[in-house]
Amino acid sequence: MAGPKWLDSEEMKAWRLYITTSVDLMKALEDDVRPFGLTMGDYQLLAMISEAPDRRLRMCDLADQLRLSRSGLTRRMDGVLSNAWVARVQDQADRRVAYAELTTKGWNLLRKVAPIHLASVRRLMIDHLTRAEVKAIGSAFEKISNNLHP
Amino acid sequence: MAGPKWLDSEEMKAWRLYITTSVDLMKALEDDVRPFGLTMGDYQLLAMISEAPDRRLRMCDLADQLRLSRSGLTRRMDGVLSNAWVARVQDQADRRVAYAELTTKGWNLLRKVAPIHLASVRRLMIDHLTRAEVKAIGSAFEKISNNLHP
DNA sequence: GAAGATTGGTTGCGATCACAACTATTTCGG
DNA sequence: CCGAAATAGTTGTGATCGCAACCAATCTTC
């Protein structure tokens, strides 16, 4: 590695605040979707599907995008399936493949919750930041992400 | 709330990259401490205790700093206690209180792992950022944190 | 100084999730 | 084509962690 072994105080400050605050932030966002019977995991699943063509996504791709293992996704699907927010659709061409498809009920729920969730993201994070900080976070995590995914 | 309901594209980019990349980053850091028989949770526990006076911390304070529930900490302690990295010390003055105290074995382990962990933080995150981005992340999460903890 | 509230910590239980092993289907090498 | 390898998804198992209920010790209030 190029850099010295330790982090200087600016770096350490950024690292520590980032790590601890991220946990708190997630819990606060979780609190804000709970009244709708959703976890953040559920919300992200619904949001991810809603942006895909035909509001459906292969299980495999969905797992990748949600950073879940395939077994993790199978279990998470149990919840959204039993609530009928998502339907399971078997692919006719390749019968190994199943799609997760947003139902009308799921779509309606998401339309109701999304503005509230995004308002939470604003209230808890974005509204406290300068435009420069927003851009810096975007570019910083973009570089970190590019390095992580070769 | 003051702001508009939706996030603009800069804000959305920052938010999404932050959320997804944070998960990936955590997994990568986890991979780097695993060879030492540690989880990131264990590492953070040891690191937190090591910075306290006498390298000991009340269970309660430790739980707060690690963002764990008290029961969560009890269970996590099982691991570090059975590895004898941490010892349980009962307070004589207030007999409700237990301290988690870093053992010599735990201290030696931490001295070995800390440089490697910090090198990972550099390699995976800090070294990819400009000084301005590091400062922006520090100030941004500081403000988010201040808002979260009233 | 005794009753009730508060604080510190553990335990029972349920939810979430990853890994490994498994089944089913498709694709590829020869 | 046929068998081997790859791909998609599920299930068994174990780890982690929060909530609620609990016990024990201390503090508070009258």
Side-chain angles (χ1 to χ4, degrees):
Chain A
M1 281 292 90
K5 199 161 71 172
W6 303 101
L7 303 181
D8 68 32
S9 67
E10 285 283 359
E11 292 165 341
M12 191 57 92
K13 173 188 166 183
W15 168 245
R16 295 201 164 172
L17 280 166
Y18 160 64
I19 282 295
T20 62
T21 306
S22 291
V23 177
D24 298 335
L25 184 53
M26 263 306 156
K27 288 180 181 174
L29 290 168
E30 202 85 48
D31 292 342
D32 289 345
V33 295
R34 188 170 308 119
F36 300 93
L38 289 170
T39 63
M40 274 298 291
D42 293 333
Y43 178 84
Q44 288 178 325
L45 185 152
L46 299 181
M48 201 66 82
I49 300 177
S50 77
E51 291 168 16
D54 299 326
R55 289 182 202 141
R56 62 161 58 175
L57 222 43
R58 288 161 52 118
M59 292 284 285
C60 212
D61 299 335
L62 189 51
D64 286 348
Q65 292 187 41
L66 294 174
R67 268 62 179 177
L68 280 178
S69 69
R70 273 161 324 166
S71 68
L73 178 57
T74 295
R75 265 62 180 261
R76 171 153 318 157
M77 287 287 291
D78 292 347
V80 294
L81 285 173
S82 67
N83 281 294
W85 293 324
V86 172
R88 198 187 156 73
V89 180
Q90 206 71 28
D91 188 316
Q92 293 309 313
D94 185 340
R95 293 188 318 181
R96 292 169 302 184
V97 171
Y99 291 93
E101 182 174 299
L102 203 58
T103 62
T104 303
K105 186 181 172 195
W107 175 241
N108 288 336
L109 176 64
L110 188 62
R111 278 195 310 191
K112 188 172 67 176
V113 178
I116 288 160
H117 170 66
L118 289 177
S120 296
V121 174
R122 279 210 163 281
R123 174 175 48 85
L124 295 170
M125 179 176 185
I126 299 289
D127 280 348
H128 302 283
L129 309 184
T130 64
R131 172 86 352 195
E133 285 165 344
V134 171
K135 286 191 168 198
I137 288 176
S139 65
F141 284 98
E142 187 170 40
K143 286 183 284 187
I144 296 166
S145 176
N146 289 340
N147 174 252
L148 244 23
H149 304 296
Chain B
M1 282 294 89
K5 198 159 72 171
W6 302 101
L7 303 181
D8 68 32
S9 68
E10 285 283 359
E11 291 165 341
M12 191 57 91
K13 174 188 166 184
W15 167 246
R16 295 201 163 171
L17 280 165
Y18 161 62
I19 282 297
T20 61
T21 306
S22 291
V23 177
D24 298 335
L25 184 53
M26 263 306 155
K27 289 180 181 175
L29 290 168
E30 204 85 48
D31 292 341
D32 289 346
V33 295
R34 188 171 307 120
F36 299 93
L38 289 170
T39 64
M40 273 300 290
D42 292 334
Y43 177 84
Q44 288 178 324
L45 185 152
L46 299 181
M48 201 66 82
I49 301 178
S50 76
E51 291 169 15
D54 299 327
R55 290 184 203 139
R56 61 161 59 175
L57 222 43
R58 287 161 52 119
M59 292 284 285
C60 212
D61 299 335
L62 188 51
D64 286 348
Q65 292 187 42
L66 294 174
R67 268 63 179 177
L68 280 179
S69 68
R70 279 171 312 184
S71 68
L73 178 57
T74 296
R75 266 63 178 262
R76 174 157 314 160
M77 287 287 290
D78 292 347
V80 293
L81 285 173
S82 67
N83 281 295
W85 293 324
V86 173
R88 201 188 153 71
V89 180
Q90 206 73 26
D91 188 315
Q92 293 308 313
D94 184 340
R95 294 188 316 181
R96 290 170 302 185
V97 172
Y99 292 93
E101 183 175 299
L102 204 58
T103 61
T104 303
K105 186 181 173 196
W107 175 242
N108 287 337
L109 176 64
L110 188 61
R111 277 195 309 194
K112 188 172 66 175
V113 178
I116 288 159
H117 169 66
L118 290 178
S120 296
V121 174
R122 278 208 164 283
R123 175 175 47 84
L124 296 170
M125 178 176 185
I126 300 289
D127 280 348
H128 302 283
L129 310 183
T130 65
R131 172 91 345 198
E133 286 165 343
V134 171
K135 286 191 168 198
I137 288 176
S139 65
F141 284 98
E142 188 169 38
K143 287 184 282 187
I144 296 166
S145 176
N146 289 340
N147 173 253
L148 243 24
H149 304 296

